[in-house]
Amino acid sequence: MGKKAVLIGAMDTKGQEYRFVRDTLEACGVETFVIDTGVLGDPVFQPDVAADEVARAGGSSIEELRRLNDRGTAVAVMTRGAAGLIAGLEARGIVGGMFGMGGTAGTTVAASAMQALPIGVPKLLVSTVASGNTRPYVGVKDIMMMYSVVDIAGINRLSRRILSNAAYALAGMIRQQELEEEAADDKVTLGITMFGVTTPCATRVRERLEEKGYDLLVFHATGTGGLAMEELIKAGYIKGVADITTTELADELVGGIFTAGPNRLEAAGSVGVPQVVSVGALDMVNFGPPETVPAQFKDRNFYQHNPTTTLMRTTVAENRELGRILAGKLNAAASPAVVLFPKAGVSLLDMDGKAFDGKVERQALYDGIKQHLRSDIRMLEMDTDINDPVFADTIADHLLRLMDGVRQA
């Protein structure tokens, strides 16, 4: 079976609309594969995978879901089932792209299935909630969300145009991937983390590594950036990491808005990817506008980065704990790692005369790492700030050595 456009959704309540999209895709020369997630009634047309198969993959059955008559339970079951089935289809090489549509329930089910696909597989979701907060649906995957404008309820003058545009867009993505014969690219891909306050360092490291023939992916450490990098490491895209900016650990510890969750800084070590790690921007926790900063922090040291971003200086105690956390994550790594510590400042704000200059805080961070880091993991401290070209060159040199070691192994 060749690659197809997989359509996933409720073929009972949205069957008319899905049939329209299916027919439009096939008129464009794109084969389709339809998965029914509807639980209320019979599908408008025959799908390739029936709703009961999806329900069973999610741990229940259509009969049970109809008997319970509970919308929340049904959505949860079909969401689990859809994600599991899609992963199986992807493993079989069937999925050339995916299409979904709906309101909150349909969007939730389709988005969950799309998140089970690798980055790079076309994913298009027409949704009534696409003009709001889309992070719960997109996550760290390349899901394209299109606002439906009107409810998805029948084929009318407006919905016909919107759904046609969506189908044409997906068809174009799938057909172009089929037509392209990508030039052989033997470049190894590496990942770098950066923040505005570590940009000079990240830029110089990127340029140094690109000179050596590596392909570089740069991630803005705003929570989703760290999550995206970790996802790509686990998926096998990224073969080495210059984790310059580990600031997301501070937001996770203290309660800032740029947390990447409790598992940040673990992917590379878990899959055997070499990493050079530094402490970029661990001098700060991120919040929104000043009025959004929690009241318990009112007496802390703040810096207004811009009207929508308020930075808060981390304390001595927080830095000591951040050092312990960072060391603990590297201690669990099954891959080579090097830690580089800039003793003169961890960001553009943590330098002599700057808003977050903190020698005592930096020492606490250093001590936290040094006291807990495995003895066989090298830790190199330098009398420069993180954005000094010498420090950046040292990061690049160590990562190049680690990558050479991997090639020679």
Side-chain angles (χ1 to χ4, degrees):
M1 185 182 295
K3 290 186 178 292
K4 303 176 184 291
V6 176
L7 280 60
I8 186 162
M11 303 303 155
D12 49 3
T13 59
K14 307 295 181 190
Q16 181 185 7
E17 298 85 349
Y18 270 100
R19 182 165 55 192
F20 176 82
V21 172
R22 181 202 64 181
D23 293 347
T24 304
L25 285 166
E26 293 188 346
C28 293
V30 177
E31 291 186 79
T32 60
F33 187 91
V34 179
I35 300 174
D36 183 13
T37 61
V39 299
L40 298 178
D42 295 331
V44 172
F45 64 95
Q46 189 64 36
D48 295 283
V49 176
D52 188 55
E53 186 175 344
V54 180
R56 292 188 183 283
S60 185
S61 68
I62 285 296
E63 291 79 9
E64 178 66 10
L65 294 178
R66 289 174 179 171
R67 184 187 67 78
L68 291 173
N69 193 29
D70 182 85
R71 182 179 176 84
T73 299
V75 170
V77 168
M78 301 309 271
T79 297
R80 287 196 303 271
L85 287 173
I86 287 298
L89 292 174
E90 167 63 18
R92 291 163 55 193
I94 292 172
V95 185
M98 178 171 287
F99 175 87
M101 62 176 144
T104 54
T107 300
T108 297
V109 174
S112 177
M114 291 177 181
Q115 288 178 15
L117 291 173
I119 291 172
V121 176
K123 313 166 186 71
L124 199 152
L125 180 51
V126 178
S127 171
T128 61
V129 296
S131 66
N133 176 19
T134 60
R135 182 173 181 178
Y137 308 112
V138 175
V140 296
K141 293 301 179 73
D142 53 340
I143 297 173
M144 180 187 214
M145 290 189 74
M146 178 185 288
Y147 183 42
S148 64
V149 183
V150 294
D151 200 0
I152 299 169
I155 302 299
N156 52 58
R157 184 176 182 179
L158 184 57
S159 68
R160 179 184 299 274
R161 173 48 53 204
I162 290 169
L163 293 178
S164 292
N165 287 343
Y168 296 149
L170 185 63
M173 287 187 275
I174 294 173
R175 291 291 300 276
Q176 189 61 29
Q177 285 198 345
E178 292 173 348
L179 292 172
E180 281 183 353
E181 285 290 334
E182 291 192 18
D185 188 354
D186 57 358
K187 285 187 176 182
V188 175
T189 299
L190 307 177
I192 295 178
T193 52
M194 66 165 281
F195 229 27
V197 292
T198 61
T199 296
C201 178
T203 299
R204 188 172 178 91
V205 171
R206 174 180 60 79
E207 291 171 349
R208 282 285 316 281
L209 296 172
E210 286 176 341
E211 288 173 359
K212 296 298 183 179
Y214 287 97
D215 184 42
L216 272 298
L217 302 181
V218 182
F219 299 89
H220 201 189
T222 55
T224 53
L227 286 169
M229 185 181 74
E230 303 267 323
E231 182 73 24
L232 288 168
I233 291 170
K234 289 185 286 187
Y237 284 90
I238 295 175
K239 303 301 184 182
V241 181
D243 208 340
I244 298 164
T245 312
T246 46
T247 184
E248 290 153 323
L249 297 179
D251 281 50
E252 171 67 12
L253 174 66
V254 183
I257 61 174
F258 287 162
T259 174
N263 303 122
R264 175 70 172 89
L265 198 60
E266 296 178 6
S270 69
V271 299
V273 168
Q275 54 187 327
V276 176
V277 178
S278 192
V279 290
L282 282 177
D283 56 327
M284 61 187 64
V285 178
N286 296 267
F287 296 103
E291 63 272 17
T292 68
V293 178
Q296 68 263 31
F297 299 129
K298 62 183 179 64
D299 296 325
R300 296 281 290 270
N301 181 12
F302 293 99
Y303 178 82
Q304 200 63 43
H305 185 61
N306 58 48
T308 60
T309 306
T310 305
L311 308 178
M312 182 178 75
R313 192 26 163 131
T314 48
T315 65
V316 169
E318 288 164 355
N319 274 277
R320 188 175 295 109
E321 178 63 9
L322 286 167
R324 185 194 67 79
I325 291 170
L326 187 148
K329 289 176 180 290
L330 295 181
N331 289 345
S335 58
V338 176
V339 180
L340 294 181
F341 195 98
K343 301 191 79 172
V346 304
S347 83
L348 288 173
L349 294 179
D350 180 33
M351 299 167 61
D352 284 342
K354 299 299 183 180
F356 286 171
D357 181 23
K359 295 180 176 62
V360 178
E361 289 87 350
R362 290 197 297 274
Q363 187 62 47
L365 178 60
Y366 175 85
D367 291 342
I369 299 172
K370 192 72 173 178
Q371 291 168 10
H372 295 93
L373 192 66
R374 264 179 19 211
S375 59
D376 62 314
I377 298 176
R378 186 178 184 189
M379 181 175 179
L380 176 65
E381 59 267 22
M382 298 179 65
D383 293 325
T384 67
D385 67 86
I386 196 167
N387 291 300
D388 189 300
V390 175
F391 189 81
D393 287 343
T394 304
I395 290 176
D397 290 342
H398 276 82
L399 186 55
L400 288 169
R401 290 191 195 104
L402 292 180
M403 298 308 298
D404 286 343
V406 170
R407 283 199 299 270
Q408 294 170 9

